[in-house]
Amino acid sequence: MKLTSRSVSRAALVSSVLATVTLSAGLLVATSANAATTLGASAAQSGRYFGTAVAANKLSDSTYVGILNREFDMVTAENEMKIDATEPNQNQFTFGNADRIVNHARAQGMRVRGHTLAWHSQQPGWMQNMEGTALRSAMLNHVTKVAQYYAGKIYAWDVVNEAFEDGSSGARRNSNLQRTGNDWIEAAFRAARAADPAAKLCYNDYNTDDWTHAKTQAVYRMVQDFKTRGVPIDCVGLQSHFNAQSPVPSNYQTTLQNFANLGVDVQITELDIEGSGTTQAANYERVTKACLAVTRCTGITVWGIRDTDSWRSYGTPLLFDGSGNKKPAYTAVLDALNSVGGTTTTTTTTTSNDPVPGGCTATASVNAWNGGFVVTVKVTAGAAAIRGWTVTLALPSGSTVTNSWNATRNGNQWSNVAYNGNLTAGQATEFGFQGTGSAGSPSPTCTAS
Ligand code: 9MR
């Protein structure tokens, strides 16, 4: 039995699990329709993520961490991965606060957006005073060392941030990095690709939301040029900081779609909208629906959790109030995310033909929508510790895997990466992949080593 959101009422949806069918010994399939109750789970119904900026010094605030862990499945370090934080003295790298965020996220099964490798702002003093070839090499060294350090742990890097002028010029921003030569951006992208081939590489900027603005057009032409010449770029980040002076433009969805049409993913990377009540909620709904309407808009990140956490708290621009209560804007986003999305099917297989005592088991959960899917696989060690695992999971012919995380893939087999192979008895870890076509009802098997 398969039910979709169209065939049951919202009240019934909340009960979530609609059918459980035992197909054969050891194989259990549960099908549920959508109406997830958190931002991350709601976004996952259409293969998207919902993220937030996180500040390391707030990880001891239990209200903050409670909302973070409950609602979000992607994290961006608000300041801790910036150049001044990670390389305070030339060639001396410090990752303490960034690691606290990355480790927290990964322990919670959240993914991480890296922000940011090359930027004119928040440069450490030694870099601010540099120019020319010395700066070019220092910048490339920074990109390489930081991307290498986090290799395999980052879903997407904002490789270059805010490199274009505001206003009508459409020119590059005059910065010490720009003065090293117009090719500094593509050099940074090439270095990032070499250092972490698994990460998606993004160009990220603000005031690039209105399709008619000169800055938007200039970024578009750069991305088009990069795609034409084979410069490695996978995504464009639209920061999307909105207020009365810079409202959500009527052509926002057009902008997202036009970037996507260049063959890159589009991500809303720093969303906040000043305001309150129903007006703010309506603006958040518009932004969310615009992303949902663009297949390659892969996720939304808000720039903080509570209004009081915001870089512009006076504008109360976020989804939770200062006490951590959900605002009307939160409900508008959640409802918009729940208005699309597919059917979730969880398949548990308990078989394991395994040379290791205790072995492992694998459970696959599929979020499917028209034309695509995300499969999340939970691997659990048996009665003994294991040092590695391989999950075999066949997809129907004609479906294609477009990206995966927390595992390396070889055809129908996904194996652990460096950080998630060692599991103690009974311990679980998750990996996932996204694809086009149908995932069917996969029945994964797990082999431990
Ligand atoms: O939110 C960040 C704030 O805490 C910092 O003081 C500020 C310093 O530049 O950066 C803020 O984050 C910015 C982001 O890194 C890039 N886009 C604009 C964001 C808001 O200013």
Side-chain angles (χ1 to χ4, degrees), residues 136-404:
R136 174 66 73 96
S137 344
M139 180 273 286
L140 293 176
N141 182 56
H142 181 85
V143 170
T144 300
K145 295 281 169 52
V146 176
Q148 273 175 348
Y149 180 80
Y150 283 113
K153 298 184 177 180
I154 302 293
Y155 164 71
W157 267 110
D158 291 333
V159 179
V160 171
N161 197 36
E162 303 177 357
F164 282 82
E165 279 297 347
D166 291 312
S168 59
S169 73
R172 294 280 185 87
R173 181 191 294 276
N174 181 10
S175 70
N176 60 348
L177 291 168
Q178 180 63 29
R179 290 191 295 273
T180 70
N182 205 48
D183 62 343
W184 75 275
I185 298 181
E186 60 196 81
F189 273 82
R190 290 200 167 95
R193 179 68 98 224
D196 184 0
K200 288 183 182 290
L201 305 182
C202 301
Y203 176 79
N204 190 52
D205 215 327
Y206 66 93
N207 282 351
T208 47
D209 314 289
D210 188 320
W211 177 241
T212 65
H213 280 180
K215 188 170 171 182
T216 312
Q217 293 292 312
V219 173
Y220 178 86
R221 283 193 300 273
M222 179 187 74
V223 176
Q224 187 176 46
D225 171 53
F226 281 12
K227 292 299 285 183
T228 307
R229 290 192 293 114
V231 177
I233 184 167
D234 307 301
C235 38
V236 172
L238 273 65
Q239 294 183 9
S240 301
H241 295 291
F242 295 119
N243 59 16
Q245 292 70 47
S246 178
V248 184
S250 57
N251 56 26
Y252 187 61
Q253 185 180 318
T254 301
T255 306
L256 295 173
Q257 187 66 61
N258 285 344
F259 276 113
N261 289 348
L262 290 175
V264 289
D265 288 347
V266 184
Q267 299 167 1
I268 299 171
T269 52
E270 305 182 13
L271 180 62
D272 51 17
I273 309 177
E274 290 186 35
S276 63
T278 51
T279 307
Q280 183 181 48
N283 281 322
Y284 264 104
E285 181 184 346
R286 279 184 53 208
V287 169
T288 307
K289 287 195 164 165
C291 179
L292 293 170
V294 175
T295 306
R296 291 199 75 160
C297 181
T298 56
I300 299 175
T301 295
V302 287
W303 206 239
I305 296 179
R306 300 162 302 194
D307 285 334
T308 43
D309 300 318
S310 170
W311 66 294
R312 45 182 188 181
S313 53
Y314 53 87
T316 60
L318 294 173
L319 300 179
F320 296 87
D321 70 18
S323 306
N325 300 309
K326 297 168 181 174
K327 294 167 58 182
Y330 170 93
T331 309
V333 171
L334 188 75
D335 288 352
L337 294 170
N338 273 324
S339 70
V340 297
T343 305
T344 301
T345 306
T346 305
T347 309
T348 307
T349 318
T350 50
T351 54
S352 142
N353 57 344
D354 204 311
V356 174
C360 54
T361 56
T363 299
S365 175
V366 179
N367 276 296
W369 59 95
N370 190 17
F373 59 85
V374 164
V375 177
T376 305
V377 182
K378 184 174 179 182
V379 176
T380 309
I386 60 174
R387 289 193 315 276
W389 45 262
T390 296
V391 169
T392 304
L393 191 161
L395 291 168
S397 66
S399 54
T400 307
V401 174
T402 50
N403 67 302
S404 58

